[in-house]
Amino acid sequence: SIQGTFTTAEALTRFGAFGGVVYNTTFINCQADVTMTSEREDMGAFAGQATGEIVMKNCTAKVNLTNTRADNAHRTGGFIGYLTDKTTVGTFENCSVEGVIKDGGADTKSHSAFMGGLIGWAGVAEGSKLVVKNCTSKVNVEGNGFSNNVGCLIGNVGTGEIEMTSCTAEGTIAAGVQVGGVVGLMEKSFGTYTGVTSKVTLNCAAKNYVGGIVGRMSTADKFVSFTDCHYEGDLAGGSSIAGIIGAP
């Protein structure tokens, strides 16, 4: 387990309490209780960036994360900031996270954020699968009008296949566009959501693509299914808002 307050050195680009970048790593029965402040690109309580075979089981995190990166994008997650598209195994099982994630960057068009209670930006290699099972997120995300691609579990599922089963998200999100109670954006990905419940309040007034489960799917001809999924919350947005998917 790891506990404490951490601030990045200027030279770091990936920032995690266990490791900045981890490869082929398994975390079992691990705990993090951290306050972290960074202006770096990737930040997470366990790892800023992860790739290869990544397995996390029975892990918990209590987080207070603030990313102050002013320009361009950052990827910030309660567990992992950036799970790269070179990941061949991505398994998150019986994990939970609670706390606050803040986007302290500039409220300008040059700024963007990928933020999630579990993972900020997630992707797996072609032919691989991201499995998220029996995970819980109780996270409040505090963003601004250009904090895009935000979810209480995952900010963006960028590539590959996701299989999410029996997961629950609770909390509040104040952000920009492409915001979901569970996943903000499914970009070039596909997969299944089964038994997923969102009880997240979404406050994205005058912004688009806001969904109780997924904010937006830009998955082209790829297949995505939802079975026994439920949204129990309040949402506010401009256009393309709905209880399950803001926009396909």
Side-chain angles (χ1 to χ4, degrees), residues 36-133:
M36 302 173 67
T37 302
S38 171
E39 59 179 21
R40 301 299 94 194
E41 187 173 358
D42 301 323
M43 179 171 69
F46 287 93
Q49 184 182 115
T51 194
E53 297 184 5
I54 304 299
V55 177
M56 304 193 75
K57 293 185 177 182
N58 306 319
C59 295
T60 62
K62 294 182 179 180
V63 299
N64 187 342
L65 308 181
T66 302
N67 197 311
T68 59
R69 186 176 177 87
D71 298 319
N72 301 315
H74 67 78
R75 295 166 289 225
T76 301
F79 272 40
I80 293 173
Y82 179 29
L83 186 70
T84 80
D85 58 6
K86 307 297 184 194
T87 301
T88 54
V89 174
T91 299
F92 296 78
E93 188 172 342
N94 299 325
C95 293
S96 64
V97 57
E98 62 180 84
V100 178
I101 299 176
K102 302 176 185 178
D103 182 13
D107 190 359
T108 66
K109 290 184 178 180
S110 65
H111 175 72
S112 183
F114 300 86
M115 298 189 294
L118 199 66
I119 309 168
W121 193 103
V124 293
E126 184 176 353
S128 301
K129 183 186 294 185
L130 170 62
V131 176
V132 184
K133 184 177 181 181

Side-chain angles (χ1 to χ4, degrees), residues 73-205:
H74 67 78
R75 295 166 289 225
T76 301
F79 272 40
I80 293 173
Y82 179 29
L83 186 70
T84 80
D85 58 6
K86 307 297 184 194
T87 301
T88 54
V89 174
T91 299
F92 296 78
E93 188 172 342
N94 299 325
C95 293
S96 64
V97 57
E98 62 180 84
V100 178
I101 299 176
K102 302 176 185 178
D103 182 13
D107 190 359
T108 66
K109 290 184 178 180
S110 65
H111 175 72
S112 183
F114 300 86
M115 298 189 294
L118 199 66
I119 309 168
W121 193 103
V124 293
E126 184 176 353
S128 301
K129 183 186 294 185
L130 170 62
V131 176
V132 184
K133 184 177 181 181
N134 296 328
C135 292
T136 301
S137 174
K138 296 181 179 179
V139 169
N140 296 329
V141 181
E142 301 175 8
N144 57 54
F146 291 94
S147 303
N148 306 327
N149 316 302
V150 179
C152 202
L153 272 166
I154 303 174
N156 179 27
V157 183
T159 59
E161 181 179 1
I162 182 171
E163 180 183 291
M164 184 178 290
T165 307
S166 301
C167 293
T168 302
E170 299 182 34
T172 61
I173 298 177
V177 303
Q178 298 171 177
V179 177
V182 177
V183 173
L185 172 66
M186 290 191 68
E187 190 175 2
K188 299 176 182 177
S189 51
F190 64 102
T192 60
Y193 294 82
T194 305
V196 175
T197 298
S198 168
K199 300 179 181 179
V200 180
T201 298
L202 302 167
N203 184 8
C204 307

Side-chain angles (χ1 to χ4, degrees), residues 6 13 19 21 57 105 143 174 182 210-211 221 235:
F6 305 86
T13 56
V21 181
K57 293 185 177 182
V182 177
V210 180
D221 58 346
L235 47 79

